[in-house]
């Protein structure tokens, strides 16, 4: 864990959709170079947390700070420019742009990530670079979504549902890539249901239940308390 | 209610010396929207007429309430209700468009007020729906079309192509033309009301090769047609005749494209009579533009009211005022002025050409007489006797 | 059918289509990307014509006048966006309709106050005021050919901008998923403003091109706006290619319909009835086209959000 204080610091985050409150005070931290997971059953507020961090949803209360910058209530493009790279739930690639255009349209062009590095990471994308985004398979779309986020040279990658609904072979490929990213020092906040794979790459875990963090700890601690936590995790 | 009436009476009493009458006129014109320029001409013409009477038509203190019909019949009806009930007007004058006149006709002629149209002259109110409380100082709509038709026929043109917007006035206009045109109609094309590009119609004209084209295309539609017709190089090849299309309201926009085109009218700025000279001169001085027939007819309406009210000794006796209006003893800018049995004037119609006044301003100028003392074709259907 | 007439009418349809495209392109971008219904887009067209007519009169040169009118029209567009429209993004469509309708009223009357109610004179530039003799001896106004050429050139430039540049990618991405685009670092408000300015410029360009053949008057954009909406519905909301295809279709169908439908009706009905029925049918034709397209493809011919280009 980094010593110079956390990179992302979320405290007391509350959010709601209209009258229905979903988050009731979420606290979490991600340090430099860390891979952290956010676990929880369906509908517990994981995506809402991510959206509130990104500024896609204005929080009701609480605070989001990233690399010492106050992001609470700021528009999403500021969060992105501050270094948050979002791979959203449902992938949300631009269907009417080619693979290559999806990657370069929002690239920041000032960091280490280039088109060819992304293509090296996901060779399938290189083959399909002139294909429209909408014509890709689900797995390819997820690769594209990850590549697209990397092209913004994020300091922290936010992955909402990293492998949801993908074929086993593709999942494997994606976990492999995430592992290599971690090894290269990339900080990641990842949401997924695949505990086994997550445990292999993650440093720490948070468990979210009904809009509150109900547990946090290392992979070993998670294993030790697994039976007690099973109910919260829904796995 | 009683109190307000009393207060109004008191106020009226305070404002006027005891026993004096005043004259209240509602002037209805189209002052907003695309056709506002015609309404502006009408209003300015009428107001000059009031001014020439020293602000006192018939010697009475005159209050003119100007209302804007927005070229919407429902708005016009509302406005006229206000004029009749709130302003208690003696006369509603003005009205540029026939559909507006038809909308306000019944409410006004069935009230205590007179209705004096300075422009619109739809067939029903000249014919069987004529009224003893309605007068017109312009013409019946068909007459101008008929006059052009007669001239086109007289000048030996055999084949014409007809073009008008697809609405009642468009169809009536072409019917009026055909009544006096004796040759062959090679095609009769109706365009969407408000259409602004006539390239398709112009191509059809080119392909049909008529001897002449006759059109009724009021307002902006006409400006576009005239410009595009000239741009297509047809102006000098196939003469374009029209009614209510090329006039002083549209010539500033069509400029050279409109010059040399022929139409018909009861009045032109160059008509040689004393009243007209004064009217045109003062109008241009005051308003800074050349008046059109809209202005001239409205000026005549004001002069008619002036003469009649004076002759009737006020507005209290409606029958007396009606009799004076019928006699129309005023110097019209068109020269002699006389009403037919249906309260429409019997006027001379001239062939007019878009040309330049001596100072270079474009205007419709008189070329020759087409109809002398032309009574409209619907007067026979009007049961009124006097 | 007379082949020369058919050819001339096709040119006429093309010319109308090109003008429609210029107006519809901005409308569809603004609607597709910002989900904003801008009824006042027709006013931009009108203002372009007024500026061009005025600047042409002042400078004595059509090209100079046009060069001054374009930035002026963009300026008005940007000012409108800043002062009014941006407060209505993300609001109910009805609010947007009401707000932009108010802008129409305000600007139309303002133009009337400044320039007067009489249509402005805007002569065809001398170098294009002649007629060109085409195949088979038919003549065609040179200026209309200029409109077709200029319009197609701008359409090609716009296509290149949208299809080949980074800005174009952002525009297309914004048309399919503006929220995601923002989450990837694009300042969507700035993009909106740029798109708005682009739309204002295209509409202004259409206005200045159309000015010399149509009369320059405050209401000149009203009719065109309705047609432009038909175009973007046919083409697919937010899609430039769709707007192009839709505009040419509407231009051709409307022109050819006006030209030949009455004659076609005369084959089945007596001439006097055909004269009534033909124009009624031809004025409905493009709406029939729109309905037909919507039945076959409810999102239009080339929707922006679809998976296919
Ligand atoms: N746009 C929305 N409007 C209203 N309620 C919403 C909206 N999005 C999510 N919710 C509700 O908020 C709660 C949390 O949803 P969220 O998507 O954050 O859950 P999640 O933990 O990401 O679930 P999943 O694992 O299914 O993705 C759910 O009850 C959901 O129904
Ligand atoms: Mg979720």
């Amino acid at each position: 864990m980094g010593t110079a204080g956390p990179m992302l610091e979320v405290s007391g985050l509350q959010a709601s959709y209209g009258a229905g409150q979903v988050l009731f005070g979420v606290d979490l931290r991600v340090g430099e170079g860390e891979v952290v997971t956010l676990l929880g059953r369906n509908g517990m507020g994981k995506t809402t947390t991510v959206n509130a961090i990104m500024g896609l949803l204005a929080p009701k209360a609480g605070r989001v700070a990233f690399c010492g910058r106050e992001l609470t209530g700021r528009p999403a493009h500021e969060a992105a420019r501050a270094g948050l790279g979002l791979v959203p739930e449902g992938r949300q690639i631009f269907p009417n742009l080619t693979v290559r255009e999806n990657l370069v349209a929002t690239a920041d062009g000032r960091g280490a990530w280039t088109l060819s590095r992304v293509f090296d990471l996901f060779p399938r994308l290189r083959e399909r670079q002139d294909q429209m985004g909408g014509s890709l398979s689900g797995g390819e779309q997820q690769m594209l979504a990850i590549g697209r986020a990397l092209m913004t040279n994020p300091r922290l990658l936010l992955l909402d549902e990293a492998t949801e609904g993908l074929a086993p072979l593709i999942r494997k490929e994606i976990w492999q890539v995430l592992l290599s990213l971690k090894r290269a020092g990339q900080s990641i906040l990842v949401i997924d249901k695949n505990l086994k794979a997550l445990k292999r790459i993650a440093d720490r875990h948070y468990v979210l239940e009904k809009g509150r963090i109900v547990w946090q700890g290392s992979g070993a601690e998670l294993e030790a308390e697994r039976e007690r936590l099973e109910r919260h995790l829904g796995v | 209610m009683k109190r307000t009436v009393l207060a109004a009476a008191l106020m009226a009493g305070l404002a006027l010396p005891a026993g004096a009458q005043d004259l209240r006129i509602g002037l209805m014109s189209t002052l907003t929207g695309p056709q506002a320029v015609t309404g502006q001409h009408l209003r300015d013409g009428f107001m000059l007429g009031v001014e020439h009477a020293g602000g006192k038509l018939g010697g009475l203190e005159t209050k003119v309430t100007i209302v804007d019909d927005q070229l919407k019949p429902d708005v016009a009806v509302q406005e006229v209700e206000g004029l009749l009930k709130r302003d208690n007007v003696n006369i509603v004058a003005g009205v540029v468009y026939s559909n507006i006149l038809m909308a306000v006709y019944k409410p006004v002629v069935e009230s205590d007020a007179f209705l004096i149209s300075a422009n619109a002259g739809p067939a029903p109110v000249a014919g069987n729906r004529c009224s003893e409380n309605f007068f017109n100082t312009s013409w019946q709509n068909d007459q101008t079309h008929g006059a052009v038709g007669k001239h086109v026929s007289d000048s030996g043109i055999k084949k014409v192509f007809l073009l008008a917007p697809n609405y009642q006035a468009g169809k009536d206009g072409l019917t009026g033309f055909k009544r006096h045109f004796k040759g062959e109609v090679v095609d009769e094309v109706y365009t969407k009301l408000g259409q602004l590009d006539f390239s398709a119609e112009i191509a059809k004209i080119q392909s049909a090769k008529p001897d002449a084209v006759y059109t009724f295309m009021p307002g902006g539609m006409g400006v576009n047609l005239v410009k595009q017709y000239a741009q297509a190089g047809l102006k000098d090849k196939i003469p374009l005749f029209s009614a209510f299309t090329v006039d002083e309201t549209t010539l500033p926009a069509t400029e050279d494209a409109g010059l040399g085109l022929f139409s018909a009218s009861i009045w032109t700025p160059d008509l040689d009579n004393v009243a007209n000279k004064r009217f045109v001169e003062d109008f241009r001085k005051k308003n800074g533009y050349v008046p059109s027939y809209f202005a001239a007819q409205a000026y005549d309406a004001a002069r008619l009211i002036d003469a009649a009210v004076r002759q009737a000794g006020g507005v209290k006796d409606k029958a007396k005022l009606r009799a004076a209006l019928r006699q129309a003893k005023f110097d019209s800018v068109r020269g002699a002025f006389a009403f037919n049995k249906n309260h429409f004037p019997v006027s001379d119609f001239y062939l007019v050409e878009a040309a330049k006044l001596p100072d270079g301003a474009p205007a419709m100028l008189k070329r020759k007489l087409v109809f002398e003392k032309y009574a409209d074709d619907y007067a026979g259907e009007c049961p009124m006797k006097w | 059918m007379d082949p020369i007439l058919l050819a001339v009418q096709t040119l006429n349809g093309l010319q109308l289509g090109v003008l429609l495209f210029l107006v519809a392109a901005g409308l569809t971008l603004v609607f597709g990307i910002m989900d904003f219904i801008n009824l006042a887009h027709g006013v931009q067209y009108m203002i372009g014509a007024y500026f061009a007519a005025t600047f042409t009169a002042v400078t004595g040169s059509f090209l100079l006048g046009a060069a001054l009118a374009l930035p002026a029209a963009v300026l008005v567009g940007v000012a409108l966006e800043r002062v009014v429209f941006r407060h209505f993004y993300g609001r109910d469509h009805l609010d947007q309709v009401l707000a932009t309708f108010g802008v129409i009223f305000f600007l139309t009357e303002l133009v009337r106050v400044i320039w007067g109610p009489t249509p402005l004179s805007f002569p065809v530039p001398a170098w294009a005021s002649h007629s060109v003799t085409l195949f088979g001896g038919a003549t065609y106004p040179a200026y209309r050919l200029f409109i077709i050429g200029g319009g197609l050139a701008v359409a090609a430039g716009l296509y290149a901008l949208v299809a080949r540049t980074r800005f174009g990618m952002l525009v297309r991405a914004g048309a399919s998923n503006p929220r995601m685009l923002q989450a990837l670092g694009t300042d969507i408000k700035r993009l909106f403003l740029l798109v708005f300015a682009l739309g204002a410029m295209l509409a202004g360009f259409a206005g200045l091109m159309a000015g010399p053949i149509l009369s320059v008057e405050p209401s000149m954009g009203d009719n065109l706006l309705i047609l432009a909406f038909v175009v973007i519905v046919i083409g697919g909301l937010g899609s430039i290619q769709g707007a192009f295809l839709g505009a040419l279709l509407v231009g051709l169908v409307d022109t050819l319909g006006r030209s030949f439908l009455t004659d076609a009706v005369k084959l089945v009905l007596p001439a006097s009835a055909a004269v009534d029925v033909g124009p009624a049918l031809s004025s409905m034709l493009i709406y029939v086209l729109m309905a037909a397209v919507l039945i076959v493809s409810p999102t239009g011919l080339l929707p922006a959000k679809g998976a296919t280009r």
Side-chain angles (χ1 to χ4, degrees):
Chain A
M1 206 191 291
T3 46
M7 186 180 220
L8 174 71
E9 181 158 21
V10 175
S11 46
L13 196 64
Q14 297 189 32
S16 48
Y17 297 103
Q21 184 154 357
V22 175
L23 302 183
F24 295 89
V26 172
D27 299 280
L28 62 83
R29 280 158 207 33
V30 183
E32 184 90 50
E34 248 194 327
V35 175
V36 172
T37 75
L38 187 56
L39 306 170
R41 280 184 289 127
N42 290 111
M44 288 299 138
K46 303 181 296 291
T47 298
T48 307
T49 304
V50 168
N51 286 347
I53 292 172
M54 277 307 299
L56 290 170
L57 180 70
K60 266 177 66 166
R63 177 165 178 261
V64 178
F66 183 67
C67 297
R69 261 188 75 178
E70 182 71 36
L71 284 182
T72 324
R74 306 298 308 164
H77 68 269
E78 285 187 22
R81 287 178 188 179
L84 288 168
L86 177 65
V87 180
E89 187 174 54
R91 318 190 231 292
Q92 303 193 30
I93 57 136
F94 302 115
N96 54 338
L97 267 61
T98 64
V99 168
R100 170 199 283 271
E101 287 174 336
N102 262 283
L103 292 170
V104 300
T106 51
D108 96 329
R110 279 186 299 246
W113 285 99
T114 61
L115 206 52
S116 67
R117 258 190 86 191
V118 170
F119 285 157
D120 289 344
L121 203 60
F122 298 113
R124 281 155 169 267
L125 295 184
R126 175 175 284 129
E127 289 162 28
R128 289 169 173 60
Q129 57 176 304
D130 292 320
Q131 217 168 302
M132 297 312 277
S135 68
L136 297 183
S137 73
E140 291 159 352
Q141 291 196 5
Q142 182 68 343
M143 294 174 190
L144 181 55
I146 294 172
R148 183 178 65 179
L150 289 174
M151 288 293 280
T152 67
N153 291 303
R155 302 174 70 174
L156 173 63
L157 196 59
L158 297 173
L159 273 129
D160 193 351
E161 308 290 8
T163 62
E164 172 95 345
L166 301 181
L169 230 60
I170 307 270
R171 290 183 182 214
K172 220 177 132 195
E173 189 177 341
I174 287 177
W175 289 123
Q176 205 53 50
V177 165
L178 293 181
L179 194 61
S180 75
L181 289 174
K182 174 192 161 80
R183 292 207 176 112
Q186 175 72 54
S187 321
I188 304 174
L189 175 65
V190 56
I191 295 168
D192 204 90
K193 304 239 159 57
N194 189 341
L195 212 54
K196 222 168 106 196
L198 282 174
K199 272 190 319 200
R200 243 186 303 136
I201 70 160
D203 302 306
R204 287 188 306 115
H205 307 273
Y206 287 95
V207 175
L208 192 63
E209 166 126 346
K210 295 195 179 142
R212 284 187 183 86
I213 300 291
V214 293
W215 186 89
Q216 57 175 307
S218 68
E221 287 166 329
L222 181 70
E223 198 51 50
E225 293 192 66
R226 179 161 185 154
E227 293 206 345
R228 188 175 76 73
L229 288 176
E230 211 111 89
R231 183 173 56 85
H232 298 298
L233 300 177
V235 282
Chain B
M1 180 68 200
K2 229 179 212 162
R3 257 219 329 252
T4 40
V5 173
L6 192 66
L10 272 173
M11 261 153 58
L14 285 176
L16 293 165
Q21 293 181 39
D22 65 341
L23 171 61
R24 294 175 304 277
I25 296 176
L27 184 66
M28 173 165 280
S29 192
T30 303
L31 296 168
T32 50
Q35 312 300 350
V37 59
T38 56
Q40 180 192 328
H41 275 242
L42 184 141
R43 178 197 61 200
D44 291 350
F46 192 89
M47 293 317 284
L48 184 65
V50 176
E51 192 180 304
H52 276 178
K56 295 183 171 189
L57 291 183
L60 299 188
E61 203 59 56
T62 303
K63 179 166 187 278
V64 181
T65 307
I66 300 174
V67 293
D68 177 14
D69 59 47
Q70 300 174 28
L71 196 36
K72 290 175 189 149
D74 52 321
V75 173
V77 169
Q78 265 179 32
E79 290 290 353
V80 99
E81 290 290 320
L83 289 176
L84 295 173
K85 305 236 161 77
R86 178 194 62 222
D87 301 315
N88 245 317
V89 298
N90 311 104
I91 294 169
V92 175
V95 190
V96 186
Y97 291 94
S98 293
N99 58 335
I100 299 297
L101 187 80
M102 291 313 290
V104 302
Y105 187 72
K106 197 165 157 357
V108 183
V109 299
E110 288 180 1
S111 75
D112 289 337
F114 283 103
L115 177 61
I116 301 182
S117 169
N119 192 65
V125 303
N128 54 15
R129 290 189 57 197
C130 65
S131 161
E132 55 178 9
N133 294 332
F134 172 73
F135 289 85
N136 173 299
T137 60
S138 57
W139 19 256
Q140 197 285 313
N141 293 354
D142 292 11
Q143 289 180 291
T144 308
H145 300 285
V148 183
K150 178 160 190 302
H151 166 73
V152 171
S153 242
D154 289 353
S155 42
I157 285 168
K158 297 279 180 293
K159 295 193 292 183
V160 297
F161 186 108
L162 303 183
L163 185 63
N166 192 19
Y167 72 133
Q168 198 54 46
K171 291 184 176 158
D172 291 350
L174 296 192
T175 307
F177 176 87
K178 285 188 279 188
R179 191 175 294 139
H180 292 275
F181 172 68
K182 303 286 173 254
E184 178 198 352
V185 172
V186 293
D187 205 349
E188 187 170 345
V189 170
Y190 290 99
T191 58
K192 213 171 128 221
L193 191 62
Q195 180 175 313
L196 296 179
D197 188 16
F198 295 91
S199 54
E201 290 72 22
I202 288 171
K204 281 196 90 165
I205 292 170
Q206 252 174 323
S207 156
K209 302 192 174 66
D211 298 333
V213 175
Y214 177 68
T215 188
F216 162 59
M217 213 41 92
M221 295 186 287
V223 172
N224 286 341
L225 174 65
V226 165
K227 280 170 81 173
Q228 292 162 16
Y229 197 78
Q231 281 163 19
L234 287 187
K235 195 176 146 191
D236 301 322
K237 289 189 196 149
I238 308 170
L240 176 67
F241 293 93
S242 64
F244 311 123
T245 303
V246 183
D247 57 37
E248 291 79 4
T249 65
T250 59
L251 275 171
T254 52
E255 276 190 332
D256 292 356
L259 292 181
L261 298 188
F262 288 97
S263 181
S265 184
I266 54 164
W267 172 91
T268 60
D270 64 337
L271 272 191
D272 193 13
N273 64 62
V274 180
N276 197 39
K277 280 219 172 79
R278 177 178 182 221
F279 164 66
V280 174
E281 215 164 89
D282 290 359
F283 188 97
R284 292 191 68 179
K285 217 179 285 161
K286 183 173 176 212
N287 300 303
Y289 63 90
V290 181
S292 61
Y293 50 86
F294 297 102
Q297 293 151 190
Y299 179 79
D300 265 3
R303 308 296 293 155
L304 165 70
I305 294 169
D306 179 51
V309 170
R310 198 179 307 276
Q311 189 184 334
V315 289
K316 288 222 168 107
D317 188 339
K318 202 172 175 188
K320 233 172 162 184
L321 182 55
R322 181 179 302 115
L325 284 166
R326 282 171 168 167
Q327 287 178 24
K329 284 194 196 144
F330 73 103
D331 293 329
S332 165
V333 292
R334 75 195 79 178
F337 187 104
F339 279 121
N340 200 350
K341 289 287 174 199
N342 62 349
H343 291 179
F344 274 68
V346 180
S347 303
D348 295 343
F349 277 75
Y350 304 100
L351 177 73
V352 300
E353 181 184 359
K356 287 186 168 165
L357 288 168
D359 64 356
M364 302 307 289
L365 303 185
K366 174 185 148 185
R367 287 298 176 250
K368 68 172 222 210
L369 186 68
V370 179
F371 275 122
E372 197 178 348
K373 302 222 182 317
Y374 182 19
D376 67 82
D377 298 297
Y378 300 91
E381 296 167 24
C382 168
M384 197 158 42
K385 296 213 168 34
W386 47 277
Chain C
M1 199 183 289
D2 178 357
I4 295 174
L5 181 59
L6 181 63
V8 170
Q9 298 295 31
T10 306
L11 277 180
N12 285 331
L14 203 59
Q15 183 250 302
L16 173 61
V18 158
L19 279 184
L20 273 176
F21 167 70
L22 292 173
V23 175
L27 198 64
T28 202
L29 283 179
V30 167
F31 189 67
I33 299 176
M34 314 181 203
D35 195 25
F36 180 69
I37 298 188
N38 182 14
L39 292 187
H41 196 66
V43 172
Q44 294 280 188
Y45 164 86
M46 178 265 287
I47 281 177
Y50 266 92
F51 279 146
T54 308
F55 290 134
T56 299
V58 171
T59 62
S61 149
F62 174 80
L63 293 179
L64 218 57
L68 289 171
L70 267 191
V74 172
L75 227 60
V76 171
V78 168
L80 282 178
E81 204 269 354
R82 293 245 126 160
V83 176
V84 187
F85 298 152
R86 74 167 33 187
H87 306 291
F88 289 88
Y89 295 153
R91 291 267 286 271
D92 196 51
H93 282 166
L94 186 62
D95 291 352
Q96 299 172 348
V97 164
L98 292 176
T100 54
F101 209 61
V103 169
I104 295 183
F105 272 119
F106 177 74
L107 288 183
T108 306
E109 280 313 310
L110 187 67
V111 163
R112 223 187 287 281
V113 168
I114 296 175
W115 280 283
T118 326
L120 233 54
S121 128
F122 189 1
V124 171
W127 43 264
S129 60
H130 57 288
S131 289
V132 179
T133 306
L134 304 170
F135 36 81
T139 59
Y140 199 71
Y143 187 76
R144 286 188 190 254
L145 290 176
F146 173 68
I147 294 183
I148 296 175
L152 288 179
V154 170
L158 188 63
Y159 178 78
L161 179 72
V162 171
R164 302 263 175 272
T165 67
R166 179 93 177 257
F167 173 73
M169 290 175 205
L170 294 178
V171 165
R172 279 177 289 141
S176 76
N177 193 342
R179 202 170 120 94
M180 191 60 224
L181 186 64
Q182 188 172 26
L184 287 163
T186 301
D187 182 348
I188 208 89
K189 277 204 175 141
R190 226 189 97 224
L191 183 68
F192 282 6
L193 183 64
L194 287 176
V195 169
F196 207 92
L198 179 66
M201 187 176 82
L202 291 171
F205 182 68
L208 79 88
M209 293 295 269
I213 54 169
L214 304 180
S215 65
V216 178
E217 55 180 337
S219 63
M220 68 186 287
D222 300 358
N223 282 317
L224 204 70
L225 184 79
I226 297 171
L227 285 184
F229 267 109
V230 173
V231 164
I232 69 173
V233 169
I234 288 179
L237 299 175
S239 159
I240 288 283
Q241 291 105 308
F244 187 69
L245 185 64
L248 292 194
L249 267 179
V250 168
L252 286 170
V253 166
D254 186 60
T255 306
L256 295 177
R258 267 156 55 200
S259 178
F260 299 113
L261 204 62
T262 304
D263 294 337
V265 174
K266 276 181 190 157
L267 298 176
V268 285
L269 288 177
S272 60
V275 160
D276 283 337
V277 175
L281 277 183
S282 74
S283 66
M284 286 179 343
L285 214 52
I286 56 162
Y287 302 101
V288 173
L289 172 73
M290 178 168 80
V293 166
L294 290 184
I295 289 168
V296 177
S297 164
T299 49
L301 292 174
L302 297 171
K305 297 182 203 243
T308 50
R309 193 187 269 251

